[in-house]
């Protein structure tokens, strides 16, 4: 089977990850248990996830001219992602400060850095989108860039997956270009005012959607009348930071391979479950063999 071509447009951050027994309250100082520095960012994570899941993946984004930018570029490339379209802009790279408790829950603060300067797609960047089978985008970069990539994909017949995170209201012109929306409960509520109690509410704005609910599994809905629940795979959770990125990257590959979307969501759920068993973002993203082993 030829690997599907996946273009990911999004953010790249350096994740500074601290673990502690619990998350601190406002104004409180806690003694932590561990600290790691891990390349991350939703765009970079999803690109790496897609490559490890078996996709031929190109990443469109921006890193800074600092040491973090060098590390990010090297790590993304070593993960099998094409970084030929990754920009370097003067200044700092994006940084995410991540706190993780003993249950694997997290709290995250992101400073955009170079991601905020990722505007005005070039012709080679647009060509990478047009040549892909599936475009994956998120919302940690300027909305105008996401819109430009989605419009180019739509015109070329490239399918568009939008992981609408962080949560925000979305313009109709973007939603019209989306073939598959991927959101969690909070993101769904920001878009349509409903979440787990009514997954099909997402069909008011898009033709197909996946609602991810962590340990409660995921719902796939479409305007053909499908409302299907995919149970979660039971695993011990160490860190849930990149679970959604593992899910989205694997989903793009599965759909690009021609799987029906219910099967693709199940396989993507196995990727998300495999991811939470390790600490960190990009380092926890599973290889295809791990996904297959868990999916059975």
């Amino acid at each position: 089977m030829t690997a599907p071509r996946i273009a990911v447009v999004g953010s790249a951050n350096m994740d500074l990850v601290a673990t502690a027994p619990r998350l601190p309250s406002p104004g409180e100082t806690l003694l932590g248990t561990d600290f790691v520095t891990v390349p991350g960012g939703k765009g970079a994570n999803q690109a790496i996830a897609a490559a490890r899941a078996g996709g031929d993946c190109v990443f469109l984004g921006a890193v800074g001219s600092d040491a973090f930018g060098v590390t990010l570029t090297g790590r993304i490339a070593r993960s099998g992602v094409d970084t030929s379209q990754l920009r370097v802009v003067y200044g700092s790279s994006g940084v995410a400060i991540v706190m993780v408790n003993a249950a694997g829950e997290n709290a995250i603060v992101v400073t955009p850095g170079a991601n905020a300067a990722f505007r005005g797609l070039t012709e080679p960047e647009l060509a990478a989108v047009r040549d892909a089978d599936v475009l994956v985008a998120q919302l940690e970069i300027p909305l105008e860039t996401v819109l430009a990539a989605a419009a180019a994909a739509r015109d070329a017949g490239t399918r568009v997956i939008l992981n609408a995170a962080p949560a925000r209201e979305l313009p109709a012109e973007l939603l019209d270009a989306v073939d598959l929306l991927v959101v969690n409960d909070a993101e769904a509520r920001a878009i349509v005012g409903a979440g787990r109690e009514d997954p099909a509410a997402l069909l008011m704005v898009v033709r197909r959607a996946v609602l991810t609910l962590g340990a409660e599994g995921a719902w796939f809905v479409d305007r053909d009348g499908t409302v299907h629940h995919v149970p979660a795979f039971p695993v011990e959770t160490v860190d849930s930071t990149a679970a959604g990125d593992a899910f989205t990257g694997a989903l793009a590959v599965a759909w690009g391979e021609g799987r029906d979307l219910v099967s693709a969501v199940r396989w993507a759920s196995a990727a998300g479950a495999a991811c939470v068993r390790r600490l960190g973002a990009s380092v926890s993203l599973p290889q295809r063999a791990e996904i297959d082993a868990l999916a059975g």
Side-chain angles (χ1 to χ4, degrees), residues 171-226:
E173 59 185 312
L174 176 57
L175 291 168
D176 288 345
V178 171
D179 294 294
L180 179 62
L181 181 69
V182 179
V183 288
N184 63 20
D185 189 65
E187 293 150 3
R189 293 182 191 282
I191 297 169
V192 296
R196 67 186 72 218
E197 73 279 5
D198 186 13
L202 290 164
L203 299 178
M204 294 188 296
V205 295
V206 291
R207 68 201 79 175
R208 305 177 193 88
V210 177
L211 176 64
T212 61
L213 297 171
E216 297 177 35
W219 287 91
F220 170 68
V221 296
D222 66 24
R223 288 180 178 171
D224 292 330
T226 305

Side-chain angles (χ1 to χ4, degrees), residues 11-153:
S11 60
N13 297 321
M14 185 60 76
D15 291 352
L16 310 179
V17 185
T19 59
R22 58 182 176 82
L23 300 178
S25 301
E28 181 184 17
T29 299
L30 286 180
L31 287 177
T33 54
D34 199 4
F35 175 78
V36 291
T37 303
V38 184
K42 285 189 174 297
N45 287 347
Q46 291 176 16
I48 293 171
R52 290 183 178 174
D56 177 7
C57 186
V58 59
F59 178 49
L60 287 69
V63 297
S65 56
D66 55 3
F68 284 164
V70 175
T71 302
L72 284 166
T73 302
R75 181 67 63 87
I76 296 167
R78 286 195 296 273
S79 297
V81 176
D82 179 355
T83 58
S84 63
Q85 302 302 321
L86 182 57
R87 301 183 191 179
V88 178
V89 300
Y90 181 77
S92 65
S93 298
V95 173
I97 300 170
V98 184
M99 295 178 291
V100 184
N101 70 13
E105 299 170 322
N106 62 69
I108 306 172
V109 175
V110 178
T111 57
N115 298 303
F118 183 34
R119 301 175 185 272
L121 292 178
T122 65
E123 185 52 41
E125 290 167 341
L126 291 170
V129 170
R130 297 186 189 109
D131 290 343
D133 297 305
V134 181
L135 169 71
V136 180
Q138 327 76 34
L139 301 174
E140 288 184 338
I141 58 175
L143 187 59
E144 66 191 66
T145 305
V146 178
L147 280 165

Side-chain angles (χ1 to χ4, degrees), residues 157-178:
T158 298
R159 286 170 286 182
V160 178
I161 295 178
L162 175 65
N163 176 210
R168 60 182 296 175
E169 293 185 15
L170 299 175
E173 59 185 312
L174 176 57
L175 291 168
D176 288 345
V178 171

